[in-house]
Amino acid sequence: MAMNYNAKDEVDGGPPCPPGGTAKTRRPDNTAFKQQRLPAWQPILTAGTVLPTFFIIGLIFIPIGIGIFVTSNNIREIEGNVFMYYGLSNFYQNHRRYVKSRDDGQLNGDPSALLNPSKECEPYRRNEDKPIAPCGAIANSMFNDTLELFQVGNASDLTPIPLKKKGIAWWTDKNVKFRNPPGTDPLEERFKGTTKPVNWVKPVYMLDSDEDNNGFINEDFIVWMRTAALPTFRKLYRLIERKNDLHPTLPAGRYYLNITYNYPVHSFDGRKRMILSTISWMGGKNPFLGIAYITIGSISFLLGVVLLVINHKYRNSSNTADITI
């Protein structure tokens, strides 16, 4: 037997059930979760709670920022290990297409990616009908100037300063992200069938005579592949280790810097520089973090003062109006 129902039945939860049947309903279960009876906390923002928050943030952040800023600016003494950096200006490593122009599978030693690089590497994917290793714009533009530091003696004699080229890359990059192609053959054989990047002078398996610092695990190459966020940046080039506690790493005197110029910067109107720096408990010299803390703390403190004045003014006006009425 057919049974009719109207729209009102549908709104109320459906047609009436036949005699002896179970009633159907869309009503939620009578539980604390479905009936929204769970305990909740809703903060009420008042002048008494907001203003102390702004003042506390200001009082905490401003001293921290000043401490970090002063510590960063005091990194001038040539004691302990000294880090040699090269710096570039007006070089946008953060460009979207530049950052994507690499093949992480190839850099991790995947044989299939070695011979068939990702299309993201275009137009530095293949050259002379051979796959480029390492492919991409980042690798193709690798910094390749050579820096040598000498101490000038009394008779104008030049004493070379030992520059350590290992230990400059992040441990995770050196041991996890970057791998040479697997195998026991010489490195040149493992890169067989590939060609060097267009702007490179030597292939990747000739970057260093040390087997532990050659190919994709060359630390100069690894440091360059970690792209910078800003157009003016510095990258670690060498480490000058302290010999003993009795003598400074770089004693006062005259020094001679020899630069083998290979990396042109005129095409992008850039500049190159060399930096010698030590480190502190917060790392290398970087005033940005201290400035950020001082700025945020100052803004919070200023907002606290403004809101305090506004609250005091309007609260007095409200009290006056109540008395007049």
Side-chain angles (χ1 to χ4, degrees):
M1 179 178 66
M3 182 173 60
N4 297 324
Y5 67 95
N6 54 31
K8 185 177 183 301
D9 295 329
E10 186 175 3
V11 173
D12 290 340
C17 62
T22 304
K24 295 181 179 180
T25 178
R26 293 192 180 94
R27 182 180 300 169
D29 296 335
N30 188 19
T31 63
F33 178 75
K34 293 188 176 180
Q35 295 297 335
Q36 299 184 9
R37 294 197 301 266
L38 292 173
W41 177 71
Q42 182 177 0
I44 299 175
L45 300 179
T46 64
T49 58
V50 174
L51 294 179
T53 302
F54 279 112
F55 286 121
I56 290 173
I57 292 176
L59 291 175
I60 293 176
F61 275 48
I62 291 177
I64 292 177
I66 294 175
I68 294 176
F69 185 78
V70 171
T71 301
S72 176
N73 286 340
N74 286 338
I75 302 177
R76 294 194 184 100
E77 296 180 352
I78 309 302
E79 297 178 358
N81 292 336
V82 176
F83 297 86
M84 175 185 284
Y85 298 85
Y86 63 86
L88 289 176
S89 299
N90 205 36
F91 192 104
Y92 289 82
Q93 274 199 316
N94 59 352
H95 191 281
R96 185 182 63 85
R97 288 197 62 188
Y98 183 88
V99 171
K100 294 176 62 178
S101 186
R102 59 189 293 164
D103 188 338
D104 289 320
Q106 186 189 59
L107 297 175
N108 197 245
D110 185 359
S112 60
L114 185 68
L115 299 177
N116 186 25
S118 169
K119 293 183 180 179
E120 296 286 355
C121 289
E122 294 288 0
Y124 303 103
R125 182 170 177 251
R126 303 183 70 88
N127 186 31
E128 298 177 354
D129 202 29
K130 288 185 178 181
I132 296 177
C135 70
I138 307 177
N140 186 66
S141 59
M142 177 180 169
F143 184 83
N144 60 350
D145 278 2
T146 301
L147 307 179
E148 297 174 296
L149 188 64
F150 300 88
Q151 184 177 15
V152 181
N154 295 330
S156 297
D157 296 331
L158 298 180
T159 303
I161 303 296
L163 303 178
K164 185 181 178 182
K165 56 187 175 182
K166 295 179 67 175
I168 61 174
W170 289 21
W171 185 92
T172 51
D173 289 347
K174 175 78 173 182
N175 297 277
V176 179
K177 294 184 179 181
F178 291 79
R179 295 284 186 185
N180 284 324
T184 57
D185 297 331
L187 199 58
E188 182 177 356
E189 289 296 321
R190 285 182 268 169
F191 281 97
K192 188 175 182 179
T194 66
T195 187
K196 66 178 181 65
V198 178
N199 289 347
W200 285 25
V201 177
K202 300 178 180 179
V204 68
Y205 50 82
M206 294 181 63
L207 293 179
D208 199 309
S209 57
D210 185 356
E211 188 72 16
D212 292 333
N213 194 43
N214 201 8
F216 289 157
I217 59 173
N218 176 264
E219 298 202 24
D220 285 327
F221 171 68
I222 294 175
V223 169
W224 177 258
M225 293 299 291
R226 181 170 286 276
T227 54
L230 300 174
T232 298
F233 59 87
R234 65 177 65 177
K235 291 180 181 287
L236 187 57
Y237 180 71
R238 293 292 181 265
L239 173 63
I240 307 174
E241 291 187 315
R242 189 175 186 181
K243 296 179 180 179
N244 54 63
D245 296 334
L246 300 177
H247 301 282
T249 308
L250 292 177
R254 296 172 55 203
Y255 290 87
Y256 172 76
L257 177 65
N258 183 48
I259 303 174
T260 304
Y261 191 100
N262 298 317
Y263 198 80
V265 295
H266 297 289
S267 60
F268 56 90
D269 195 24
R271 295 182 61 188
K272 294 186 290 187
R273 62 192 185 280
M274 188 274 287
I275 306 104
L276 294 175
S277 175
T278 58
I279 61 172
S280 68
W281 58 269
M282 54 164 286
K285 185 173 183 178
N286 185 7
F288 174 79
L289 187 60
I291 294 174
Y293 268 95
I294 294 173
T295 302
I296 295 174
S298 300
I299 292 175
S300 297
F301 196 86
L302 180 62
L303 285 175
V305 172
V306 172
L307 292 177
L308 181 63
V309 172
I310 293 174
N311 176 67
H312 181 73
K313 177 181 178 181
Y314 281 94
R315 185 175 59 183
N316 290 342
S317 298
S318 177
N319 294 338
T320 304
D322 291 342
I323 295 172
T324 303
I325 291 174

